[in-house]
């Protein structure tokens, strides 16, 4: 593990969503117990409901860079973005990506959270709704986006949004977790 990670003191997340902040905090406190993780509201630069992995990654990357710019005291910034992807057979699945960017410009990307979405939810997405709002409407609940997430609803609570985001954050940190694999 790199000294950079273990010495982290301040990390900023490109969102005020408590689920995203908690996921980053849960991962980083395992390697840097004293780290302070804060969130900042920044634009992703992509639509509220990104379509496709490329657009979703671009949103996560923009969140990371913009939050690092907004917090000069932070050593690392992490952007998380959830999106949807249409598969060749016309089905729609979820996707989520994390981008970590250090002050020196080094970055890492991690993604996962691929799960099929029900046809009624897909119809709402195609009509322009955001996934969290579509899930709220279909489940007749509020706060899906800042709570258990679509993943929590569609897995009957076996996994929630924070738990689903933690591996993405970990994957984005791989170059700092195992730096010897990235040295020439």
């Amino acid at each position: 593990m790199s000294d950079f990670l273990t010495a982290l003191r301040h990390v900023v997340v490109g969102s005020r969503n408590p689920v995203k902040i908690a996921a980053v905090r849960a991962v980083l406190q395992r390697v840097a117990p004293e780290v302070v993780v804060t969130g900042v509201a920044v634009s992703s630069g992509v639509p509220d409901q990104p379509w496709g992995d490329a657009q979703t990654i671009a949103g996560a990357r923009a969140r990371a860079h913009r939050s690092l710019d907004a917090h000069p005291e932070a050593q690392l910034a992490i952007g998380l973005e959830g999106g949807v992807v249409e598969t060749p057979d016309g089905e729609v699945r979820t996707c989520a990506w994390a981008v970590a960017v250090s002050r020196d410009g080094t970055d890492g990307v991690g993604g996962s959270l691929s799960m099929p979405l029900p046809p009624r939810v897909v119809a709402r997405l195609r009509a322009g709704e955001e996934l969290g709002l579509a899930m709220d409407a279909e489940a007749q609940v509020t706060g899906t986006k800042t709570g258990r997430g679509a993943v929590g609803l569609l897995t009957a609570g076996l996994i929630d949004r924070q738990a689903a985001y933690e591996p993405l954050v970990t994957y984005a940190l791989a170059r700092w977790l195992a730096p010897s694999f990235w040295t020439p």
Side-chain angles (χ1 to χ4, degrees):
M1 185 172 323
S2 72
D3 291 339
F4 171 75
L5 276 189
T6 57
L8 278 177
R9 292 297 170 249
H10 187 205
V11 174
V12 64
V13 179
S15 175
R16 290 216 188 266
N17 186 318
V19 172
K20 293 179 179 183
I21 296 165
V24 171
R25 184 177 291 120
V27 171
L28 286 175
Q29 284 185 335
R30 294 192 319 224
V31 297
E34 303 300 316
V35 71
V36 173
V37 177
T38 57
V40 60
V42 293
S43 169
S44 67
V46 299
D48 288 342
Q49 183 54 72
W51 280 80
D53 288 317
Q55 193 174 71
T56 309
I57 293 168
R61 185 176 308 285
R63 286 183 186 279
H65 282 282
R66 288 175 178 160
S67 59
L68 195 61
D69 290 345
H71 281 268
E73 74 284 2
Q75 299 143 300
L76 183 74
I78 298 182
L80 286 150
E81 192 73 27
V84 295
V85 175
E86 185 168 2
T87 61
D89 62 4
E91 299 281 320
V92 176
R93 65 168 172 82
T94 60
C95 70
W97 292 89
V99 174
V101 178
S102 66
R103 198 52 66 197
D104 70 2
T106 303
D107 72 355
V109 179
S112 191
L113 190 57
S114 180
M115 177 182 62
L117 292 170
R120 289 193 325 253
V121 172
V122 171
R124 288 177 173 277
L125 296 174
R126 291 189 194 284
E129 277 188 61
E130 191 177 349
L131 178 58
L133 298 176
M135 291 303 300
D136 280 353
E138 288 297 321
Q140 298 179 359
V141 299
T142 59
T144 297
K145 187 175 174 176
T146 57
R148 56 187 161 173
V151 66
L153 290 169
L154 295 173
T155 64
L158 289 178
I159 190 165
D160 64 18
R161 193 173 188 205
Q162 178 181 330
Y165 277 170
E166 289 177 19
L168 313 179
V169 173
T170 305
Y171 302 157
L173 296 171
R175 70 176 52 253
W176 294 283
L177 290 167
S180 65
F181 289 100
W182 274 267
T183 55

